[in-house]
Amino acid sequence: GTTSDVGVLTGGFPREATGEVAVAGIRTNFRMPDVLSIGIGGGSRIREDGALVGPDSVGYRLTEEGLVFGGDTLTATDVAVRGGRGAIGDTSRVAGVPAEVAERALAVIAERVADVVERMRTSSDPLPVVAVGGGSVLLPDTLPGLGTVHRPEHYSVANAIGAAIAQVSGEVDKVYAISDGKRSAVVDEARQEAVDRAVAAGADPSSVAIVDFDEVPIPYLPGNATRIRAKAVGDLALGTLVR
């Protein structure tokens, strides 16, 4: 109930961040999804007659402090209920919230989320916007300049579904010295190592496939140095869970 997070799916997998990613203020050197977050969620506080949404939030105390749950704090969930976006808690408790306040707050939410989506785009090509998570009821059916918002089946519990169907990956990121006529052998070696790592991590060998491959020559190193990155992904071998 604290943030809205926007990322991009490429070939069915999250686009990776190109720079370092900070976690709790600490810079990390892990590969992470490229995600941009803003302080808008179901628990975001609404102020100034709906003109100010967040960035502070009641967080996990939403079910105690939100109006629809018997509290006394006007939150984004309350204006979503007041605006007819969903039936959450006791809807009669937001009957006293002016309709124009709810409309103004929901418009601010839509505008800010649409701005973040635009900032994550790398081209002018049209991209479908998919909303998941319980807080996606805050969004309208269409976003300004972006078109229809798609909500897949069981979108409110997408996090749990993702955890249940998550695949297993293996990745290789190395610099190879490629001699003349040996490129194909080196590429095959890198691909096979990525597959082997995925299998070692618990992937079903019959389902593993290369989903991402990069080959970048490094001209300032001798020996035809080339950085190769290969990522293999496969379904979890369920037999590993019962051994």
Side-chain angles (χ1 to χ4, degrees):
T2 56
T3 61
S4 292
D5 312 301
V6 179
V8 178
L9 292 178
T10 302
F13 293 88
R15 184 176 70 193
E16 292 183 355
T18 55
E20 73 275 357
V21 174
V23 177
I26 305 299
R27 290 194 303 172
T28 70
N29 196 32
F30 298 107
R31 292 196 176 276
M32 297 285 216
D34 186 12
V35 175
L36 186 57
S37 301
I38 55 172
I40 289 181
S44 295
R45 298 176 186 267
I46 308 297
R47 299 187 179 90
E48 298 181 10
D49 291 332
L52 179 61
V53 180
D56 57 329
S57 169
V58 298
Y60 70 90
R61 299 186 304 276
L62 175 60
T63 54
E64 302 170 8
E65 299 189 18
L67 294 183
V68 292
F69 297 108
D72 56 6
T73 302
L74 182 61
T75 68
T77 296
D78 298 317
V79 297
V81 173
R82 181 66 176 89
R85 299 279 174 84
I88 302 169
D90 185 352
T91 58
S92 66
R93 292 183 177 273
V94 293
V97 177
E100 58 271 18
V101 170
E103 292 173 3
R104 188 178 299 116
L106 292 171
V108 169
I109 292 171
E111 181 180 353
R112 291 185 58 190
V113 171
D115 177 66
V116 176
V117 173
E118 285 288 357
R119 289 165 61 186
M120 292 296 288
R121 291 161 61 93
T122 57
S123 73
S124 59
D125 295 335
L127 285 176
V129 178
V130 181
V132 295
S136 59
V137 297
L138 303 177
L139 300 180
D141 292 333
T142 59
L143 280 175
L146 297 169
T148 302
V149 175
H150 302 273
R151 292 180 174 86
E153 188 178 7
H154 307 304
Y155 66 89
S156 62
V157 291
N159 194 25
I161 294 173
I165 67 173
Q167 294 178 298
V168 180
S169 68
E171 189 167 359
V172 170
D173 191 343
K174 292 183 179 180
V175 175
Y176 294 83
I178 301 179
S179 56
D180 292 340
K182 298 296 184 179
R183 176 188 171 277
S184 295
V186 172
V187 168
D188 290 342
E189 176 188 343
R191 288 174 175 267
Q192 187 59 49
E193 185 174 350
V195 170
D196 292 343
R197 291 189 179 188
V199 172
D204 181 349
S206 64
S207 68
V208 178
I210 299 294
V211 298
D212 194 12
F213 183 85
D214 286 326
E215 183 180 358
V216 182
I218 306 177
Y220 50 81
L221 291 181
N224 291 328
T226 301
R227 178 188 178 190
I228 294 179
R229 185 173 72 89
K231 183 175 183 179
V233 172
D235 297 330
L236 179 66
L238 297 179
T240 61
L241 298 178
V242 297
R243 284 190 300 182

